[in-house]
Amino acid sequence: MLWVDRHLVHEGSHHAFRKIAERELAVAEPALTTAVVDHYAPTRARMEGGATDDIRRMIATLEENAAHHGIRCFGLRDLRQGIVHVTGPEQGLTLPGLLLVCGDSHTSTHGALGALAFGIGATEVAHVLATQTVWQTKPKAMRLNFEGRLGPGVGAKDMALGWIAMLGADGARGHAVEYTGEAVRGLSVEGRMTLCNLSIEGGARFGMVAPDETTISWISGRPFAPEGESLDRARETWATLRSDDDAPFDRTQTIDAAAIAPIVTWGTSPEDALPITATIPDPADLTGSRARKVSEALDYMGLSPGRPLEGTSVDQVFIGSCTNARLEDLRAAAAVLSGRHARVPGLVSPGSALVKQAAEQEGLHHIFTDAGLEWVDAGCSMCVGMNGDLVEPGKRCASTTNRNFRGRQGPGARTHLMSPAMAAAAAVTGTLTDVRPLLEGRL
Amino acid sequence: MSGWATHEGIAIGLPREGIDTDQLIPARFMSTPRSEGYGQFLLHDLRRNEDGTLDPDFPLNSAAAQGASILIAARNFGGGSSREAAVYALADAGFRVVAAPSFGDIFTGNAVNNGLLPARISEDDAQALLDTLAIAQQGHADLDAANLSVGGLSVPFEIDAVARQKLMNGWDDIDLTRVHGEDIAAYREARVAACPWIIPRD
Ligand code: SF4
């Protein structure tokens, strides 16, 4: 049984609130609990009530539950609103060494700050609300060691899709992953969040990076983070949060960072990922269930085996989600789009209202709108489509999100996962494109 | 929830890898109150044709599969989102057992919390069972013996010891935990003393 230092809830937590209401239980630690409106947040005409009754009801239910239990709530009109995994770290609620849970699988994102963070189901959310504890079986330890440095135009998203393609979507099942090595140390906290965010897509519930100076300077000054003497004490503790040099891992995988190219997915699982320079797999080269899986995926995706990935035409782009909608991600996309026009429509949804504000202060929104893309409010948006931002059936979307599952972005939607820079490149050419030539002279 | 030790029912096969929780229940149904029943949403889009009619070739749609309570699936079942609604859909549709070579970790926990057994079987056994299940068959699961038999085939399954106990006893975690209230309060006090920053500055 583990004590929970931080509990984050969202609209999807309605089942859990109902469970504790049925038993007439109170929330054990309202001060350690934070509610965020994200999954159903309207991204357009928000203040004018641009939402269906169902969406309004989901948001109102969260706000009522939060008010009833005395939980702080980042609602639609709050500048702290955003995707729970963007706003938690941004507000300094996520700190090294804390145990953090949320009823959402991408809670692994918070491990980027050296927190022990994992997603839980509704029954467990109810349990945490009522007791501030969670029962866990200790996972095995796995180290993913990225040696060397990334090439230009290659980032955390490519590192993540690269290892998932190598080990499989269930490759790290039952393991807690620590990301180590020069390429990980070299990532900003934002990049580390992207890397940890995708841990779950490789089957791991936990992903983490040991806190270092990069982490600590990123945390300092954030609204809910400690300051003054308390920060000094915390820093001493945080400095101890690293694996011993000779720490045993149940599994270690070393990856050459310099060999990673920009990656896109071609199928219906994040493991269906290849460098943009590769060709689409041919089921004829495979056997058994693998051959069947590839052929079903290509059928759903409307792709022909053996053709180059590059040049596949897309219908639209989406830049957003808890994977890639922080300021650094928007800057990476803007670096490609600046002074260029998008050949296809696209939606850019920042990860939080504060990211939106910061991006606008830098003028990034002008780059997106001048290129012809739509600049909207913060939320999960087209990552999961619960707020109505959907990809239409049969349409192909270059997306910075984390799941290319069948129907994830809407029934019949075809999703290709990639980095923000690669999604921007797809917007510029209207096809899956290697971003690297488009970045020449711009990095 | 009441516990169970053995289960008898109709078994069907779903020979497709990577049935993620978005397939088990598409996101658009998740605002529905549980009281309306989630069985109607199970594999909603996968079992339908593009025009919305039920695909007669989909395993769950055959006449023989009606009333099925044991599902044999392929690798990486229930990966993806933490949505417990995926388990509600299975449970409300009457399933008590899902057997597959691998499961999403969060799905496994959610299943156990709702009395649904996530039985881990070997790749070879899964394939053998799926082969026999071209037509639905009677099946039997025994938690104590960690054994699953379908048609004439009998295979062992793995389940962690705590999960097995929970399924058998129908334990409710909240009550179990509240027994430890004093220990939890003492831990909290020590934690805050050692790391005062765990209380967010407000
Ligand atoms: S952005 Fe997507 S993956 Fe992230 S929390 Fe929202 S729905 Fe989940």
Side-chain angles (χ1 to χ4, degrees), chain A residues 38-39 83-85 104 106 321-322 380 383-384 402 408:
Chain A
D38 59 2
H39 283 71
I83 306 170
V84 64
H85 311 310
D104 187 278
H106 292 99
S321 89
C322 59
C380 294
C383 174
V384 69
N402 42 53
R408 169 74 177 187

Side-chain angles (χ1 to χ4, degrees), chain B residues 123-165:
Chain B
E123 288 266 3
D124 289 346
D125 286 344
Q127 198 50 58
L129 290 173
L130 287 170
D131 290 343
T132 22
L133 281 172
I135 31 170
Q137 310 255 5
Q138 198 63 23
H140 178 87
D142 186 328
L143 268 174
D144 207 26
N147 189 276
L148 179 67
S149 53
V150 172
L153 275 177
S154 175
V155 306
F157 64 78
E158 280 179 50
I159 173 103
D160 93 26
V162 179
R164 172 158 62 187
Q165 280 303 309

Side-chain angles (χ1 to χ4, degrees), chain A residues 248-261:
Chain A
F249 285 84
D250 297 290
R251 231 176 127 185
T252 293
Q253 179 79 45
T254 296
I255 295 158
D256 177 8
I260 301 173

